Amino acid sequence: MLYSFKGGSADGEDPHAGLVDVSGTLYGTTYEGGANNYGTVFSITPSGKEKVLYIFRGPGDGAYPVAGLVDVKGTLYGTTLKGGANCSSSGGCGTVFAVTPSGKETVIYSFYSVSGDGYAPYAGLLNVKGTLYGTTEFGGARKVGTIFSITPSGKESLVHIFGGSGDGGYPEAGLLNVKGTLYGTTSGGGANNYGMVFSLKL
């Protein structure tokens, strides 16, 4: 055992996701904990020395990061399930954020759930040649989730809206890139309404 979270205002608690290695230091998120109980970003050395790098503030800031982080040229990117500035829903519709290894955080996109935008990004991000791809569990024109792309500067676009005839719905997991085709799963929809595996050519 390298480290046991203490919870409360000084530390994170309830880490849902895995870790990312950046130059020998590990980085991750906790779903809750921190001074505001909206979750944290932390670092930990292989010997077990942990440090809270950022404490989410919600609701204009992110809140409740379920997924882990992805490293793009030394900056870490992730998603939060709630929070964000553009959503009238209680608690927010979720965010994409960037955080430096020193702990400087920026919300680069706030989901807003109207006009077909997604909301509630449950999964993390995938880096494909400098563009990030992810899923939202809800939202889109049919309200059962989306695939989106976003640049590191925060320009977001919908790549696919779930919920058409025979299509899936409610994607909770992230994406996998295999030679320019994205693969993933949805927890609902499909021909039998028990979920499906899908591919999407970029």
Side-chain angles (χ1 to χ4, degrees):
M1 183 180 66
L2 292 180
Y3 184 78
S4 293
F5 290 95
K6 305 177 183 68
S9 62
D11 197 11
E13 60 183 82
D14 199 12
H16 284 207
L19 302 166
V20 60
D21 175 16
V22 181
S23 301
T25 298
L26 307 175
Y27 296 85
T29 60
T30 65
Y31 179 70
E32 295 178 307
N36 307 303
N37 205 35
Y38 289 124
T40 71
V41 177
F42 67 91
S43 67
I44 186 167
T45 66
S47 63
K49 184 177 179 180
E50 187 256 10
K51 180 180 179 182
V52 173
L53 298 178
Y54 185 75
I55 297 171
F56 288 98
R57 303 188 307 271
D61 189 25
Y64 306 120
V66 180
L69 303 164
V70 60
D71 173 28
V72 182
K73 297 181 179 179
T75 298
L76 303 171
Y77 293 84
T79 61
T80 63
L81 185 64
K82 295 282 190 176
N86 297 330
C87 181
S88 60
S89 173
S90 176
C93 290
T95 72
V96 178
F97 67 89
V99 62
T100 66
S102 63
K104 182 179 179 182
E105 185 257 13
T106 304
V107 172
I108 65 170
Y109 188 75
S110 294
F111 291 94
Y112 53 89
S113 180
V114 295
S115 303
D117 193 26
Y119 74 95
Y122 199 91
L125 301 167
L126 173 70
N127 178 19
V128 181
K129 298 180 180 179
T131 297
L132 303 172
Y133 291 84
T135 60
T136 63
E137 187 177 8
F138 304 106
R142 302 179 185 96
K143 301 181 181 180
V144 294
T146 71
I147 301 172
F148 66 90
S149 68
I150 188 166
T151 66
S153 63
K155 183 178 180 181
E156 185 255 14
S157 300
L158 291 186
V159 178
H160 181 73
I161 297 171
F162 288 103
S165 177
D167 196 13
Y170 310 112
E172 296 181 0
L175 301 166
L176 176 69
N177 175 31
V178 181
K179 297 180 180 180
T181 297
L182 301 182
Y183 292 86
T185 61
T186 65
S187 63
N192 303 306
N193 206 33
Y194 293 120
M196 68 170 200
V197 179
F198 65 84
S199 68
L200 178 70
K201 182 73 174 178
L202 293 178

